[in-house]
Amino acid sequence: MAGNKVIIIGVGLVGAHLAYTLVVRRTTEEVVLIDVDEKRLGGDILDISHGLPYIGKITVKKGSYEDVKDASIIVLTAGAAQKPGETRLNSLKRNIEVFRNITEQINRYKTNAILLVVTNPVDVLTYAVSKFIKTDENRVIGTGTTLDSARARELLSQHCQVDPRNIHAYVLGEHGDSSFIAWSHANVGGIRFNDSCPVCHGPCEMQFETGLIKQVREMAYKIIKNKGATYYGIAVAAEKVITTILNDQNSILTVSSYQKDVLRGKDLALSTPVVVNREGVVRRIPLRLDENEQQLLQYSASIIRGEIEKLGL
Ligand SMILES: NC(=O)c1ccc[n+]([C@@H]2O[C@H](COP(=O)([O-])OP(=O)(O)OC[C@H]3O[C@@H](n4cnc5c(N)ncnc54)[C@H](O)[C@@H]3O)[C@@H](O)[C@H]2O)c1
């Protein structure tokens, strides 16, 4: 990918695993890393670069904010991670100040980069970045429910014994406790789950549907309880968004993006399926959600908007 430079700000567990994923998948030519903990950053750069002789020529280096001038993508993974049992929204108070500081530093330079927010609560912070950074709102993207959608597809794949790449299921709304699956559109090989399940040969039971979204919502809590943090899944999901942007792919992703039309004109950021390319979010896919799903989307939007209003943004 000649000329593509991806900056990661905040190289903790998520940032370091993302950097490693970008290198191993050869997503970009240059990975520039920024973190306040320069000692650990230096260690990570050495460690990742020792795989390069078996991969190819990719630059992995420590950077400064001046690097944003010619960056293609700036990924924001800085901040404190969720603690065991803590909701994503609880970590907002800590992370909003980190984001004010980082975006102030980015604003000192002129950049045409797309901003990709990963830090939680990702929807509120995506909105905050769209307000803090001097760029068009469509150029600020949050990973949103890309990870949740992958989790749902993987669980469905195990249930149906079908390749997850043949399963289409969108988790929408907040990347958090109010997310939901748009079952009216979920399908395997074109067969809607509401019509027929390839394993059970009948419509999926409501009980199965509620159990599945519960598992998706609780997945991060379960992983954090077991090993303290989640980072492999999100690293791959973020890489997918990055490769979509750099390769101008026009992929439909459930990223979090600035929206005005979901909650009676009150603006916020949340995940619905959108088309992503080199310019950021370029189109929204107008899904016809059923009545229940529309209510779930409104509820999720109201949770996010409530947090935005508490911040006075
Ligand atoms: N969106 C998702 O799906 C998803 C999934 C997993 C984790 N996350 C979130 O990603 C974030 C990072 O998680 P983690 O496990 O890597 O945490 P971590 O504590 O391991 O890393 C955070 C890093 O940010 C750095 N940092 C803090 N303030 C900074 C600043 N002002 N400038 C530069 N760097 C700074 C820290 O030094 C640290 O290295 C958390 O908010 C976590 O909840 C999001």
Side-chain angles (χ1 to χ4, degrees):
M1 269 297 107
N4 281 327
K5 172 171 164 182
V6 177
I7 303 184
I8 302 177
I9 304 178
V11 190
L13 284 167
V14 173
H17 282 80
L18 174 59
Y20 177 70
T21 307
L22 293 175
V23 168
V24 171
R25 298 196 75 161
R26 304 175 68 140
T27 312
T28 179
E29 207 180 43
E30 200 175 347
V31 181
V32 176
L33 304 173
I34 298 176
D35 197 291
V36 285
D37 185 346
E38 297 205 350
K39 190 170 170 219
R40 209 199 42 234
L41 182 66
D44 272 329
I45 290 170
L46 284 174
D47 201 2
I48 293 173
S49 62
H50 294 160
L52 293 176
Y54 300 111
I55 294 170
K57 195 175 169 343
I58 296 172
T59 303
V60 183
K61 64 172 193 184
K62 182 182 143 200
S64 70
Y65 280 91
E66 211 176 335
D67 278 290
V68 306
K69 288 197 282 194
D70 60 347
S72 310
I73 300 182
I74 304 168
V75 188
L76 301 173
T77 44
Q82 253 175 290
K83 300 196 170 79
E86 187 184 48
T87 68
R88 293 176 179 92
L89 290 173
N90 280 145
S91 54
L92 178 58
K93 288 186 201 81
R94 297 195 297 273
N95 291 339
I96 191 77
E97 288 318 312
V98 172
F99 267 54
R100 277 189 207 279
N101 176 279
I102 290 173
T103 49
E104 257 171 45
Q105 305 209 52
I106 295 172
N107 278 338
R108 285 166 53 208
Y109 303 95
K110 197 169 161 16
T111 178
N112 207 26
I114 304 281
L115 278 292
L116 176 62
V117 181
V118 182
T119 302
N120 278 318
V122 68
D123 301 294
V124 183
L125 290 176
T126 301
Y127 178 87
V129 171
S130 76
K131 297 287 162 195
F132 296 163
I133 288 275
K134 297 177 207 148
T135 192
D136 293 344
E137 279 127 3
N138 68 301
R139 301 182 76 80
V140 179
I141 298 176
T143 48
T145 54
T146 51
L147 177 58
D148 314 63
S149 297
R151 285 173 174 157
R153 288 169 62 196
E154 177 55 23
L155 287 167
L156 285 167
S157 153
Q158 287 167 16
H159 173 75
C160 301
Q161 294 292 297
V162 171
D163 186 333
R165 290 167 298 183
N166 296 130
I167 293 180
H168 293 276
Y170 294 133
V171 176
L172 305 180
E174 178 201 7
H175 169 59
D177 299 341
S178 66
S179 64
F180 66 97
I181 298 175
W183 282 108
S184 61
H185 291 268
N187 72 80
V188 50
I191 305 170
R192 289 192 331 144
F193 279 90
N194 286 4
D195 295 337
S196 177
C197 164
V199 173
C200 318
H201 303 293
C204 267
E205 299 286 336
M206 187 49 118
Q207 218 177 351
F208 171 78
E209 293 184 3
T210 47
L212 195 104
I213 186 60
K214 191 164 178 286
Q215 281 188 70
V216 171
R217 287 180 189 150
E218 289 174 358
M219 201 64 89
Y221 296 114
K222 184 175 170 182
I223 299 170
I224 292 169
K225 193 170 166 220
N226 285 352
K227 62 170 202 158
T230 77
Y231 36 87
Y232 293 116
I234 183 60
V236 177
E239 191 276 341
K240 168 72 183 165
V241 181
I242 292 168
T243 206
T244 297
I245 296 167
L246 295 182
N247 295 310
D248 205 21
Q249 279 173 346
N250 286 315
S251 298
I252 298 173
L253 299 173
T254 56
V255 288
S256 187
S257 67
Y258 181 84
Q259 313 243 8
K260 264 198 235 161
D261 305 327
V262 180
L263 198 65
R264 300 174 296 279
K266 293 181 177 170
D267 61 351
L268 60 123
L270 95 174
S271 290
T272 58
V274 292
V275 178
V276 178
N277 69 21
R278 190 99 201 177
E279 297 305 315
V281 170
V282 288
R283 248 180 308 148
R284 302 191 184 288
I285 300 297
L287 273 193
R288 268 204 211 147
L289 298 176
D290 66 26
E291 208 173 302
N292 178 44
E293 291 163 351
Q294 280 176 30
Q295 281 176 10
L296 290 169
L297 186 65
Q298 292 275 311
Y299 174 68
S300 210
S302 69
I303 299 278
I304 297 165
R305 181 67 204 180
E307 294 301 315
I308 290 169
E309 286 176 6
K310 275 190 222 158
L311 290 172
L313 290 177

